Amino acid sequence: MAKDLTFSCSDCGATTSKWSGRCDSCGAWNTIAEDKPLSSGPKSKSLGSKRGRELTLTDLATQEAAPPRTQAGVEELDRVLGGGLVAASAILVGGDPGIGKSTLLLQAAARFARNGLNVIYVTGEESTSQVQMRARRLGLEQSPVKLVSETNLRDILTTLDAQKPDLVIIDSVQTMWSDTVDSAPGSVSQVRTAAHELTTFAKTRGIAVILVGHVTKEGAIAGPRVVEHMVDCVLYFEGERGHQFRILRAVKNRFGPADEIGVFEMTGKGLAEVKNPSALFLSQRGTPSPGSVVFAGIEGTRPLLCEIQALVAPAAPGTARRSVVGWDAARLNMILAVLDSRCGISFTGLDVYLNVAGGMRISEPAADLAVAAALVSAREDATLPETCVILGEISLSGALRPVAQMENRLKEAQKLGFSEAIMPPLAKRAADTGLALREIRDLATFVSDVFGLDPGT
Ligand code: TYD
Ligand code: MG
């Protein structure tokens, strides 16, 4: 039988059956390498030839209590974790270099240590003195966190076995290497082995493990995606470098809701939690201007108001630009097409810039109408009322569709001093939120009611 060779890309983790100089998936050069099999069991023998042990089956009912959780006492972090740190769980924290992962985790380590956990912080990227200096800057020198600078997995596991911590932080998984795998640290097989060894070790000993992972240019956690499958919880730490806001987002959580976010602010003394992010995102709004619209959004279970800004300018012939920060570019094109074909508002020959203020990133379709409003407002040079929020999903027919958690959104808007909401018709009457509700059925009615534009002009 021919030997089954597989190759994978060390950048994106894609697997192929033959070697090539360039990865077909991500286009990176010189990143394809042969995968070494993880175990060297007898491969050619059929499994049926030797009987295994019969497994004991169980049913779905359980007598076990919910897993014990430890709170950090930082509400923004505890909520993203689904209510605190679960013992014997594995968490992956991804993010761009320099975004503040090490700062976040050092602060979290100190909080968990203060709340009674035995915490070890393993750094593979910095020296102990660098981490100590950061701890001094954060005012955490006296915290009972144990620190070690090491990248050798075997030594780390031996140390963990002897120290028996409750929580271990590995910063970062890309720097760890195992002597059982003969490829360079950071390669797919090393990262996969390190993540596998650490998570299984942690699970069998009841230790919670937090792995830090770097993110590639394309935004995926560098190395194989399989690391994401191995862990219980995947958190992304994101934000714009020039802004002080940082958002910790749960994209997978086996012990709580995904999509939950925590908002932090990077200060000179580390990360501070932001208890009322809507107020913060809107605080820099200034006087209302054309192209600026406030969207009443939801992130996880929490309402979040933010400003959507659009700018429309004449384009040089044949080079109309569509530039988006904080939203989906494909979705912008869809809205431009719906505005054109259903309302006769064309952006041909115009550059369009769309930005979500404050470095926030929105993925909800509920922002469609706010985006359309910002675009039309910018194109017509018409300002919307300052105390008005806009929300609603736009379908390809131009109809406005209702969005989830309406009441939550409206309450938040009312709390922040808004007095009017423009939105799709409600399926059922919401409790009175004190807001004047303008329910609009389709996009053409919206542009004529709000901007006084006749469809077709
Ligand atoms: P760091 O946590 O090292 O990022 P990562 O581990 O994700 O690579 O910190 C990144 C940046 O944060 C660094 O450029 C300096 C800044 N910073 C502050 O602004 N205030 C602080 O208190 C600390 C510790 C860092
Ligand atoms: Mg770091």
Side-chain angles (χ1 to χ4, degrees):
M1 205 174 80
K3 207 172 146 202
D4 274 343
L5 282 182
T6 57
F7 297 85
S8 61
C9 166
S10 62
D11 253 19
C12 69
T15 52
T16 62
S17 57
K18 62 180 196 318
W19 187 88
S20 64
R22 182 166 184 264
C23 173
D24 284 340
S25 268
C26 68
W29 290 94
N30 284 332
T31 54
I32 305 280
E34 185 189 334
D35 279 337
K36 298 272 183 314
L38 276 178
S39 62
S40 47
K43 272 186 286 164
S44 49
K45 268 199 206 132
S46 139
L47 277 179
S49 62
K50 185 168 174 263
R51 281 169 65 88
R53 166 174 68 87
E54 188 178 335
L55 306 173
T56 324
L57 306 177
T58 173
D59 49 29
L60 297 178
T62 173
Q63 259 76 53
E64 261 177 61
R69 289 179 184 269
T70 309
Q71 259 105 34
V74 180
E75 212 185 294
E76 296 298 306
L77 176 63
D78 290 334
R79 179 163 16 80
V80 175
L81 289 172
L85 182 74
V86 177
S89 65
I91 297 165
L92 178 66
V93 177
D96 287 328
I99 206 72
K101 299 179 296 298
S102 304
T103 309
L104 175 76
L105 292 175
L106 192 59
Q107 288 183 277
R111 289 296 195 128
F112 284 121
R114 199 174 73 184
N115 292 351
L117 295 191
N118 182 359
V119 185
I120 296 185
Y121 188 104
V122 182
T123 174
E125 306 204 327
E126 296 164 295
S127 65
T128 45
S129 64
Q130 279 173 307
V131 179
Q132 284 158 346
M133 251 144 71
R134 178 179 298 129
R136 182 185 309 159
R137 179 169 177 188
L138 299 172
L140 300 173
E141 304 139 283
Q142 303 305 328
S143 169
V145 174
K146 309 243 179 47
L147 174 67
V148 61
S149 174
E150 184 53 66
T151 55
N152 182 333
L153 209 50
R154 192 181 291 276
D155 294 349
I156 292 171
L157 293 182
T158 309
T159 312
L160 295 183
D161 212 13
Q163 296 280 333
K164 308 206 173 5
D166 302 304
L167 168 64
V168 53
I169 292 169
I170 305 287
D171 188 0
S172 66
V173 67
Q174 274 98 356
T175 54
M176 299 296 141
W177 64 276
S178 160
D179 49 24
T180 56
V181 179
D182 60 355
S183 57
S187 64
V188 180
S189 21
Q190 282 289 6
V191 174
R192 189 161 46 192
T193 310
H196 179 75
E197 292 274 342
L198 284 161
T199 49
T200 41
F201 180 85
K203 297 235 155 181
T204 49
R205 314 289 155 109
I207 303 172
V209 56
I210 301 183
L211 306 172
V212 173
H214 290 298
V215 158
T216 59
K217 290 191 289 303
E218 287 75 31
I221 291 177
R225 280 221 95 106
V226 285
V227 176
E228 294 195 11
H229 300 297
M230 277 180 216
V231 295
D232 302 306
C233 202
V234 179
L235 312 180
Y236 272 91
F237 201 41
E238 44 187 49
E240 295 289 323
R241 206 60 85 69
H243 288 286
Q244 71 272 41
F245 313 123
R246 298 285 181 271
I247 290 163
L248 186 66
R249 187 186 294 273
V251 293
K252 162 180 171 182
N253 193 348
R254 284 187 186 143
F255 306 112
D259 284 338
E260 207 55 91
I261 65 162
V263 184
F264 297 87
E265 189 179 355
M266 183 59 98
T267 69
K269 283 201 158 69
L271 292 155
E273 40 177 348
V274 174
K275 298 239 163 137
N276 190 345
S278 302
L280 190 74
F281 281 121
L282 296 181
S283 65
Q284 295 162 344
R285 194 153 62 112
T287 50
S289 54
S292 152
V293 166
V294 177
F295 164 59
I298 289 274
E299 292 290 336
T301 54
R302 155 197 258 197
L304 193 111
L305 265 55
C306 56
E307 184 191 356
I308 293 181
Q309 305 166 336
L311 177 70
V312 174
T319 61
R321 290 172 61 103
R322 304 284 180 253
S323 162
V324 195
V325 180
W327 209 52
D328 182 14
R331 199 104 197 149
L332 171 68
N333 286 330
M334 184 199 103
I335 297 209
L336 290 171
V338 176
L339 277 170
D340 191 348
S341 60
R342 307 291 171 196
C343 312
I345 300 176
S346 159
F347 289 81
T348 313
L350 296 171
D351 283 342
V352 174
Y353 301 89
L354 187 80
N355 177 36
V356 180
M360 181 65 200
R361 196 165 56 79
I362 306 180
S363 50
E364 277 192 287
D368 289 354
L369 188 59
V371 169
L375 294 171
V376 179
S377 156
R379 182 177 180 275
E380 298 302 314
D381 204 23
T383 309
L384 282 155
E386 191 179 359
T387 56
C388 169
V389 293
I390 299 187
L391 64 161
E393 183 178 341
I394 300 176
S395 68
L396 288 180
S397 66
L400 302 187
R401 302 164 57 146
V403 300
Q405 304 196 47
M406 196 55 121
E407 225 170 287
N408 246 340
R409 300 173 194 257
L410 296 178
K411 269 196 209 135
E412 177 82 353
Q414 193 266 339
K415 221 164 63 191
L416 284 152
F418 289 84
S419 60
E420 187 187 7
I422 302 180
M423 52 193 243
L426 284 169
K428 61 175 179 30
R429 289 256 56 86
D432 188 20
T433 48
L435 242 57
L437 307 183
R438 267 172 91 176
E439 296 173 45
I440 296 182
R441 216 161 267 290
D442 57 62
L443 195 58
T445 318
F446 173 82
V447 295
S448 77
D449 280 13
V450 177
F451 294 99
L453 294 177
D454 249 350
T457 53

